[in-house]
Amino acid sequence: MSRNIDRIELRVEAMRDLSPSLKHLRLVPAHGQGQLLAPASAGSHIVLTLRDASRTFRNAYSLTSKPGARDAYEIIVRRVQESRGGSHFIHREIATGAMLEATPPANLFAPVRTARRHLLIAAGVGITPFLSYLPELDALGQPFELHYCARDDEQTCFASWFGERPNAHIYQDIEGHRLDVPALLRAQPVGTQLYVCGPDTLMDHVLASARDLGWPASTLHAERFGAPSGGTAFVVSLARSGFDVHVPGDVSLLDALEAAGVHADSQCRGGACGVCKTSVLEGCPEHRDYFLSAAERSEGRHIMPCVSRAIDERLVLDL
Amino acid sequence: MTMTFKPDETFRDEFSFNNSDEAILRFPFPFHEDRYMYSVNIEPHVAGGPSDAFQATFDVDEHYVAECRDRALTLAADPLRCQVLPHMQAAEWDTLELLMESLSRDYPQHFRLTRDGEWWTWINGPLGIADRFRFGDASTLPLPPFEYITRQAQGDFCLLDHRDDNLFMDGGMVTSQADWSLDFDLGMSFVEWHAPVPLAHQMGVFDRALQFLLRLQWGKPVRRLNWTMTVNPRLDTSPENYPHWGPDRASITPENVGQKLHLRVELQTLFRLPRSNGVLFGVRCYLIRLDELVRVSKWARRMHRVLQSLPDELAAYKGLARFRGTAVTWLAQYDDGAPTAAGTAAETLAA
C-alpha cells in the first residue's frame, strides 16, 4: 500500500578509482536482485548518510548514471585533501559491499525541456550533473554545447565520456587554453538556456557575465550543493510542558519534538500548510518555510517546526 | 477485497449512476467542521485516513468500468479532451509506469504488470485488456502512453512541467471536470490557470501552494480535497458542453433536490514524476446524491451548515447560486442543531 518513502538502502556494488582523487561508485538496492530503484531525471542527486564513529555526514552527489536507470545509481566522488568530511570518508572508509543510507533522487537542476538550445558550463567535479544530461539531451534531439574547465586528471578521466562529440570542449588552466566566458556567452543565439556547475568562483563569474549581457534570469541555472536540509544542533525549552528537547543537526525540530513525545499538530511537513505554526517566546528562529509572511518572519514570534530551525542556541516555545 | 463493478451505470442520458451502501460509507466527505473556507489543505497521500478512498495510490471503486466507458464516449465526441505537448514525452511514460505499478500492487486481483527487461506485459482484467509493449517505445502501444493508461483509470490527470520556478499545464486527460477546460488552460502557468478562483489569491493560498509543490519529492505524494455541487450525476461538466448541463442548474425544486443534486468531491493527488521531473496532478471525482448523503446523520447536519454559511462569492464561483436556497431548506429537516462529532468519517448508515 502507499506510504511515504524518505530513505532508501543501497549497497556499494563496485568501486573504482578514476584517478588518485576521483572514485566512481555503483550503488544497487541493498536487498535482493528483484528490487528496482526509482528512476531519476537528468541532473538529479541523492543525499548519502555517512556515519563514522563520532559523526554523521549528509552529502549530496549528482547521479552520473543514465536517466531512468533502475538497476543502479552511479556517483563520482572527489576527495578534497584538506577536508575531513563525507567525501574523505568515502575515499578512506567505504569499500565494495558497504551498505549506505540515502534519500531517493531529487532534482534541483533539471534541463528545460522547452529549450531551443542548451549551453552547459562545468568546472572540476562540477561536471558530474552534466554526465546525465548528455544521454538525455541526445534523446531529446535538442542542440547543446558542453564547455568543461578541467584539471589534468579530470581531463584524462572525462574525455572518454564525451567520445567524439564535436559539441564538447575542454579547457585547461594554461595560458591560451582558458575558457573566455563572456566571449562564449556573446556568441550564443537568443533562447539558449545556460547551466553551470563548479566552484563558486566559476559560477559567480558565469552568472554575472550572463546578467551583464542581458540574459533573462529564467535562462540561468546553477547547481550549488551545500545547502543541507539540516543545520546546527540547538535546544528548545517547552514553556508549558516544562522540559527541554535537544534538536540534533540532522533532525528537524518537528521530528525531535515528536521523538520526545510532544504532540504538535502537523500536516504537510514541508513548510506550506501552516498547521504546525508554533509560538516562539524567546530566541530567534531561522525561517525556512513558505507560509509565514515577510513581516511575520521578521517579528520572529512564530516558527514552522517542520522545516525551520534556530539561529540561537536555544528557543523557548509555547508548547 | 472483492469488488463488484457496475458496468451498465451511466453518467449521462438516463443517469442510472448510484452508490451502494459500501460506496456511501467510503465517500470522501470533505468538511471537517461546520463551515468552509479555502486553505492549503494538503496532506501526505499515504494509506489511511477517514475514508477507504485513501487506501490505494489510485482508488478503484465500483464505478470503475462505467467511468472508463463514459470517458471513451466523451473522447469520441471531442478528442481535444486529451492533449499532451511534445516536450512532455518523458512525463507520459512516467505516468504509465506509476499507474501500472500502483494499480497492479494495490489491486493484484484486477491488474497485472510483468516486466521482461524493456518488454512489459499489462493485463487489465475489468476492461479486458492485455498488451505487450516496449517501455519507452510508443510505437509498440495502440495509443500514446499517457492516453493509453489514463483511459484505464478513474479521474482526470494533468501533466505539469516544472520550469522557471513554476508549473505549467502542458498535458492532460480531462473528461470529468468541474467546469474547466484543458484545451483553454493548456500551456498556462500555475497562477494563470487558477486566476478565476475568488478570495484565495488575496489569502496567498496559491503562492504558498506553488512554493510547496515546486519542492514536491518523489516518493512523497500529497493529496487534498476540493468540492462543488452538480445537478445529475454527470462526470463531464465541461465548458465545452455547457449547453448540455448548464440549464440543469435551473431544474432543482424542493421535490427533486434530494434526487438530483449531488455533492461532488475531488480527491486531488500530486506526484513528482521521476523521469521527467514533472508533476502528475490527479483529480478523482466522487459523486453522492443528497438523499444518499443524508443517510449519514453527521454529514447531513454538517452539509446543511456549510452550505448555509458559505460566502456568496464562493457559492457563485462554484455555480451553486441558483439552487443553494432550495438545498439549504431541504437539508434543514436533517439538522436537529446537535453538535457534530469531530472528523469526517461516516458513522452509521440510516436505512
Side-chain angles (χ1 to χ4, degrees), chain A residues 233-236 238 243-264 269 305-309 317 319:
Chain A
F234 59 102
V235 172
V236 284
L238 309 181
F243 61 90
D244 290 356
V245 175
H246 174 70
V247 185
D250 58 351
V251 175
S252 77
L253 171 53
L254 180 60
D255 286 337
L257 290 171
E258 288 171 347
V262 180
H263 176 76
R269 304 185 82 93
C306 61
V307 290
S308 296
R309 305 184 67 84
L317 300 181
L319 281 174

Side-chain angles (χ1 to χ4, degrees), chain B residues 230-281:
Chain B
T230 303
V231 179
N232 292 323
R234 192 189 288 276
L235 289 175
D236 177 25
T237 50
S238 57
E240 286 89 340
N241 275 340
Y242 188 76
H244 296 296
W245 60 270
D248 292 348
R249 288 177 173 170
S251 70
I252 295 296
T253 66
E255 292 71 38
N256 69 17
V257 59
Q259 278 286 318
K260 282 191 89 164
L261 192 57
H262 293 71
L263 175 61
R264 181 188 192 107
V265 171
E266 293 177 350
L267 169 54
Q268 303 183 345
T269 49
L270 291 132
F271 300 83
R272 174 66 70 181
L273 296 176
R275 294 170 186 271
S276 60
N277 200 43
V279 171
L280 179 69
F281 179 40

Side-chain angles (χ1 to χ4, degrees), chain B residues 63-349:
Chain B
H63 309 298
Y64 173 75
V65 175
E67 285 191 30
C68 291
R69 195 188 48 237
D70 193 75
R71 162 159 293 163
L73 291 171
T74 301
L75 285 167
D78 183 359
L80 294 180
R81 300 306 185 82
C82 181
Q83 298 188 58
V84 182
L85 296 179
H87 62 274
M88 300 303 281
Q89 228 175 63
E92 291 203 41
W93 288 105
D94 269 326
T95 307
L96 177 138
E97 186 173 38
L98 175 63
L99 273 159
M100 287 186 176
E101 288 189 347
S102 304
L103 290 171
S104 59
R105 180 196 62 219
D106 292 343
Y107 302 97
Q109 70 276 39
H110 296 305
F111 305 96
R112 198 183 325 149
L113 174 65
T114 333
R115 272 181 275 232
D116 178 12
E118 291 180 321
W119 284 93
W120 293 22
T121 302
W122 170 245
I123 295 174
N124 178 331
L127 297 185
I129 291 169
D131 283 310
R132 186 162 183 270
F133 62 97
R134 199 167 144 239
F135 187 85
D137 180 355
S139 71
T140 59
L141 275 172
L143 288 166
F146 178 76
E147 178 174 353
Y148 175 81
I149 196 60
T150 55
R151 276 177 178 264
Q152 302 177 45
Q154 291 171 272
D156 290 342
F157 294 91
C158 301
L159 289 178
L160 313 183
D161 192 24
H162 181 157
R163 59 175 195 274
D164 197 11
D165 288 331
N166 212 325
L167 296 171
F168 293 85
M169 177 86 68
D170 285 348
M173 165 68 89
V174 179
T175 65
S176 56
Q177 68 278 55
D179 201 8
W180 71 279
S181 164
L182 173 70
D183 194 38
F184 186 78
D185 285 3
L186 193 69
M188 285 189 186
S189 72
F190 187 84
V191 169
E192 286 170 340
W193 85 70
H194 283 111
V197 183
L199 303 179
H201 291 276
Q202 293 88 319
M203 294 165 63
V205 166
F206 294 120
D207 294 334
R208 287 204 296 274
L210 175 61
Q211 289 308 311
F212 177 69
L213 294 177
L214 291 174
R215 283 151 187 85
L216 185 66
Q217 289 174 14
W218 178 89
K220 297 165 96 171
V222 297
R223 67 176 171 237
R224 70 180 286 263
L225 296 178
N226 194 15
W227 70 280
T228 185
M229 300 188 85
T230 303
V231 179
N232 292 323
R234 192 189 288 276
L235 289 175
D236 177 25
T237 50
S238 57
E240 286 89 340
N241 275 340
Y242 188 76
H244 296 296
W245 60 270
D248 292 348
R249 288 177 173 170
S251 70
I252 295 296
T253 66
E255 292 71 38
N256 69 17
V257 59
Q259 278 286 318
K260 282 191 89 164
L261 192 57
H262 293 71
L263 175 61
R264 181 188 192 107
V265 171
E266 293 177 350
L267 169 54
Q268 303 183 345
T269 49
L270 291 132
F271 300 83
R272 174 66 70 181
L273 296 176
R275 294 170 186 271
S276 60
N277 200 43
V279 171
L280 179 69
F281 179 40
V283 187
R284 170 67 184 280
C285 169
Y286 294 85
L287 291 164
I288 188 168
R289 280 202 319 267
L290 284 192
D291 64 9
E292 291 172 336
L293 182 143
V294 297
R295 292 175 62 197
V296 177
S297 55
K298 175 167 79 179
W299 293 355
R301 292 188 190 104
R302 191 167 286 167
M303 189 75 222
H304 173 242
R305 296 169 196 178
V306 165
L307 216 47
Q308 194 170 38
S309 60
L310 193 69
D312 288 341
E313 299 98 312
L314 284 188
Y317 172 68
K318 290 177 181 288
L320 319 181
R322 294 194 76 125
F323 49 71
R324 172 155 71 142
T326 309
V328 169
T329 304
W330 185 83
L331 284 164
Q333 66 187 305
Y334 299 97
D335 187 356
D336 56 7
T340 53
T344 59
E347 316 122 327
T348 51
L349 196 62

Side-chain angles (χ1 to χ4, degrees), chain B residues 19-40:
Chain B
N19 287 299
S20 67
D21 286 358
E22 293 73 34
I24 294 173
L25 285 167
R26 73 195 303 283
F27 187 82
F29 189 72
F31 306 116
H32 60 89
E33 57 184 355
D34 290 352
R35 53 183 290 283
Y36 173 77
M37 194 13 113
Y38 289 125
S39 62
V40 185

Side-chain angles (χ1 to χ4, degrees), chain A residues 1-6 36 38-41 68 70 104-105 107 110 112-114 218 267-268 270 272-273 290-291, chain B residues 40-44 46-47 55 57 87 90 97 101 106 115 163-164 208 211-212 215 218-220 274-277:
Chain A
M1 286 295 160
S2 44
R3 57 187 178 82
N4 271 351
I5 302 170
D6 284 303
L36 292 173
S41 46
R70 302 194 62 179
N107 198 339
V112 176
R113 288 168 188 275
T114 51
S218 62
Q267 197 174 61
C268 74
C273 72
Y290 315 104
F291 183 82
Chain B
V40 185
N41 54 335
I42 298 174
E43 62 181 357
V46 293
Q55 288 303 315
T57 302
H87 62 274
E97 186 173 38
E101 288 189 347
D106 292 343
R115 272 181 275 232
R163 59 175 195 274
D164 197 11
R208 287 204 296 274
Q211 289 308 311
F212 177 69
R215 283 151 187 85
W218 178 89
K220 297 165 96 171
R275 294 170 186 271
S276 60
N277 200 43

Side-chain angles (χ1 to χ4, degrees), chain A:
Chain A
M1 286 295 160
S2 44
R3 57 187 178 82
N4 271 351
I5 302 170
D6 284 303
R7 276 151 213 242
I8 53 176
E9 295 287 324
L10 299 171
R11 183 170 56 82
V12 180
E13 187 197 57
M15 224 171 157
R16 65 191 162 94
D17 290 327
L18 299 179
S19 80
S21 65
L22 292 169
K23 261 193 200 306
H24 179 274
L25 277 72
R26 186 177 156 86
L27 309 170
V28 297
H31 308 290
Q33 285 288 312
Q35 270 201 324
L36 292 173
L37 296 166
S41 46
S44 293
H45 67 270
I46 56 174
V47 178
L48 293 181
T49 300
L50 305 161
R51 290 193 179 90
D52 70 8
S54 58
R55 284 190 57 191
T56 299
F57 307 100
R58 286 178 204 272
N59 282 30
Y61 296 99
S62 294
L63 297 181
T64 60
S65 29
K66 189 167 182 257
R70 302 194 62 179
D71 56 340
Y73 296 145
E74 293 170 27
I75 60 172
I76 293 172
V77 180
R78 170 180 275 286
R79 177 171 50 184
V80 183
Q81 282 302 342
E82 58 274 24
S83 141
R84 305 297 299 174
S87 295
H88 188 78
F89 178 77
I90 288 179
H91 274 259
R92 285 185 50 122
E93 307 291 335
I94 297 291
T96 301
M99 297 292 191
L100 295 175
E101 185 186 297
T103 62
N107 198 339
L108 303 172
F109 194 53
V112 176
R113 288 168 188 275
T114 51
R116 293 184 196 166
R117 179 181 160 80
H118 308 267
L119 176 66
L120 323 179
I121 301 178
V125 79
I127 188 65
T128 50
F130 294 127
L131 298 177
S132 65
Y133 269 52
L134 300 178
E136 183 76 9
L137 296 180
D138 284 342
L140 286 170
Q142 292 171 342
F144 71 97
E145 282 177 20
L146 170 66
H147 296 265
Y148 179 36
C149 307
R151 304 182 204 186
D152 279 352
D153 63 329
E154 291 161 347
Q155 182 179 3
T156 314
C157 296
F158 294 116
S160 64
W161 289 72
F162 309 147
E164 299 298 306
R165 291 172 180 279
N167 56 346
H169 309 273
I170 300 183
Y171 304 84
Q172 289 175 284
D173 192 12
I174 302 169
E175 191 59 39
H177 294 271
R178 294 192 182 98
L179 171 61
D180 181 345
V181 172
L184 174 67
L185 296 182
R186 266 195 299 272
Q188 299 301 315
V190 169
T192 303
Q193 297 281 332
L194 170 66
Y195 310 83
V196 59
C197 185
D200 283 346
T201 47
L202 171 92
M203 296 211 286
D204 294 343
H205 175 48
V206 169
L207 295 173
S209 304
R211 281 188 209 104
D212 288 347
L213 290 166
W215 288 53
S218 62
T219 62
L220 308 181
H221 313 276
E223 176 82 319
R224 293 180 198 268
F225 289 122
S229 53
T232 49
F234 59 102
V235 172
V236 284
S237 300
L238 309 181
R240 280 188 281 138
S241 309
F243 61 90
D244 290 356
V245 175
H246 174 70
V247 185
D250 58 351
V251 175
S252 77
L253 171 53
L254 180 60
D255 286 337
L257 290 171
E258 288 171 347
V262 180
H263 176 76
D265 279 334
S266 72
Q267 197 174 61
C268 74
R269 304 185 82 93
C273 72
V275 169
C276 68
K277 184 173 172 181
T278 301
S279 292
V280 178
L281 303 176
E282 281 174 45
C284 195
E286 180 198 344
H287 297 292
R288 296 182 179 183
D289 63 279
Y290 315 104
F291 183 82
L292 297 175
S293 67
E296 287 175 306
R297 282 163 178 257
S298 43
E299 280 175 6
R301 294 173 60 182
H302 293 97
I303 187 170
M304 315 298 295
C306 61
V307 290
S308 296
R309 305 184 67 84
I311 291 172
D312 298 334
E313 285 174 6
R314 181 166 168 272
L315 288 181
V316 182
L317 300 181
D318 185 22
L319 281 174

